[in-house]
Structure formats: C-alpha cells, structure tokens
C-alpha cells in the first residue's frame, strides 16, 4: 500500500511537470509569434518558410523521381527539366536584380558639405572685393569678383614680365644685327 502511494505521488508530480512544460511551450510559441511579427529577421524567416511551403511539391517530386523505379532515361529527362526550371528561376532573379541596380545605380555615395563661417576684418574683405560699400556680396558674386581680380593680377604679372624682357630683347636684337 505504501508503494502505491509513492507511485501516485510520482504520477501527480509528473502531471505538474508536464503542465508546467506545456505552459512554457505556449509562452515560447507566443514569444516566437511576436518576434516574427515585430522584427525584420522574424519577417524574413516567415517569408523563407512561405517560399519553402510554396516549393514543397517541387522538392517532393524531385525526391520521388530519385526514389521511384522508372527507367534511367525518363528519370534523367525529368531531373533535367526540373533543373531547367531552377536555372530559369535564377536567371529571372538575376535579371530583376540587374534592372533594380540600373534604377538605383551602381554606387551610393554619401557626400557631406562642410561650411566654414569665418569673420573677416572689413579692410581685408574690401581688399578682396567681398564687401561693396555696406553691401555684402553673395557667394557667386564674390567668386566672380575674386576670379576677375585674379585675372587682373595675372595680366599685370604678365605685363611686368614682358616689360622686364624688353630691354633684354632690345639688347639681343642689337647684338644680332
């Protein structure tokens, strides 16, 4: 009689353990569903499972073709056709990827513009032509004025070079005559 009570107690303990495991499994299943619905990786897993379920008949046919006792020729033709379907699938995926790449572009470049704001003394700004009276020039006007000043400086430098070379040329011309 004591032995029967021990067995019954163990049985009740096992039932409690199984109920706890069942609750734990339900909690894990619920957590998995939340994960699949709320994360990108969960969504990808869901999509992969859906693709696998969609192509399940295809994979079952391939495995049955390998296990059936058909003639070798018929089996080879069947497998070749299935491989051809897979190859066409890969070509379509590759073509869609190329089209998408043509739309998006080959490289994505991120460029940052850095703007440095500097306070320039008025005398320097007037000298460089950035300020005209009380009016401050915008960037394009300032660039044009700076380019014009640089051209003028280059012309002056070229004239000075020519004027330096004139006496030399005159002396050389006299020598040569």
């Amino acid at each position: 009689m004591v032995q029967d009570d021990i067995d019954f107690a163990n049985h009740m303990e096992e039932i409690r353990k199984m109920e706890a495991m069942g609750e734990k499994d339900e909690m894990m299943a619920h957590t998995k569903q939340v994960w699949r619905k709320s994360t990108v990786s969960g969504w990808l897993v869901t999509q992969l499972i859906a693709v696998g379920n969609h192509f399940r008949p295809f994979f079952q046919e391939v495995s049955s073709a390998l296990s059936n006792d058909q003639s070798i020729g018929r089996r080879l033709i069947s497998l070749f056709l299935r491989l051809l379907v897979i190859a066409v699938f890969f070509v379509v995926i590759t073509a869609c990827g190329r089209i998408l790449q043509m739309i998006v572009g080959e490289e994505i470049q991120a460029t940052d513009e850095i703007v440095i704001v500097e306070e320039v003394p008025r005398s320097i700004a007037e000298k460089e032509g950035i300020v005209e009276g009380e009016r401050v020039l915008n960037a394009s006007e300032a660039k044009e004025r700076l380019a014009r000043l640089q051209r003028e400086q280059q012309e002056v430098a070229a004239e000075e070079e020519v004027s330096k070379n004139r006496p030399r040329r005159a002396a050389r011309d006299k020598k040569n005559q």
Side-chain angles (χ1 to χ4, degrees):
M1 182 131 197
V2 173
Q3 186 66 23
D4 290 337
D5 290 339
I6 292 174
D7 287 341
F8 181 72
N10 287 341
H11 178 69
M12 292 304 288
E13 214 173 283
E14 288 297 319
I15 289 176
R16 284 188 203 113
K17 285 182 184 178
M18 291 181 81
E19 287 175 353
M21 287 177 60
E23 289 175 8
K24 188 176 179 181
D25 289 344
E26 288 176 15
M27 186 64 165
M28 283 188 351
H30 176 70
T31 305
K32 186 189 285 187
Q33 286 296 80
V34 169
W35 173 76
R36 284 186 177 175
K37 290 179 181 177
S38 62
T39 63
V40 173
S41 55
W43 179 81
L44 288 174
V45 166
T46 304
Q47 296 305 313
L48 286 174
I49 290 171
V51 168
N53 289 337
H54 179 74
F55 288 107
R56 179 178 290 164
F58 172 76
F59 295 125
Q60 287 174 343
E61 287 296 319
V62 170
S63 66
S64 69
L66 292 173
S67 63
N68 284 346
D69 292 332
Q70 297 175 353
S71 68
I72 293 175
R74 187 171 179 179
R75 191 181 307 171
L76 286 175
I77 290 172
S78 174
L79 285 175
F80 176 74
L81 291 175
R82 288 186 175 97
L83 288 175
L84 187 63
V85 168
I86 292 172
V88 168
F89 181 72
F90 284 138
V91 168
V92 168
I93 295 262
T94 304
C96 290
R98 299 271 172 138
I99 291 170
L100 184 64
Q101 187 177 20
M102 287 181 355
I103 292 170
V104 172
E106 291 187 17
E107 294 181 11
I108 297 175
Q109 296 179 350
T111 56
D112 292 335
E113 250 184 61
I114 299 173
V115 177
I116 299 173
V117 178
E118 178 181 349
E119 292 198 21
V120 178
R122 187 165 192 79
S123 61
I124 295 174
E126 287 175 351
K127 183 179 176 185
E128 291 184 5
I130 297 173
V131 176
E132 187 177 85
E134 291 298 317
R135 183 173 161 263
V136 177
L137 303 178
N138 64 26
S140 63
E141 291 173 335
K143 284 181 184 178
E144 289 174 14
R145 180 151 310 166
L146 187 59
R148 188 171 22 132
L149 287 173
Q150 288 175 344
R151 280 194 305 269
E152 288 173 3
Q153 287 176 352
Q154 288 174 351
E155 289 172 2
V156 169
E159 287 176 11
E160 288 177 359
E161 186 68 30
V162 169
S163 65
K164 285 181 186 176
N165 290 335
R166 276 190 193 143
R168 291 183 196 157
R169 283 188 189 164
R172 191 176 48 203
D173 289 343
K174 285 182 182 178
K175 241 187 208 179
N176 289 337
Q177 289 177 356

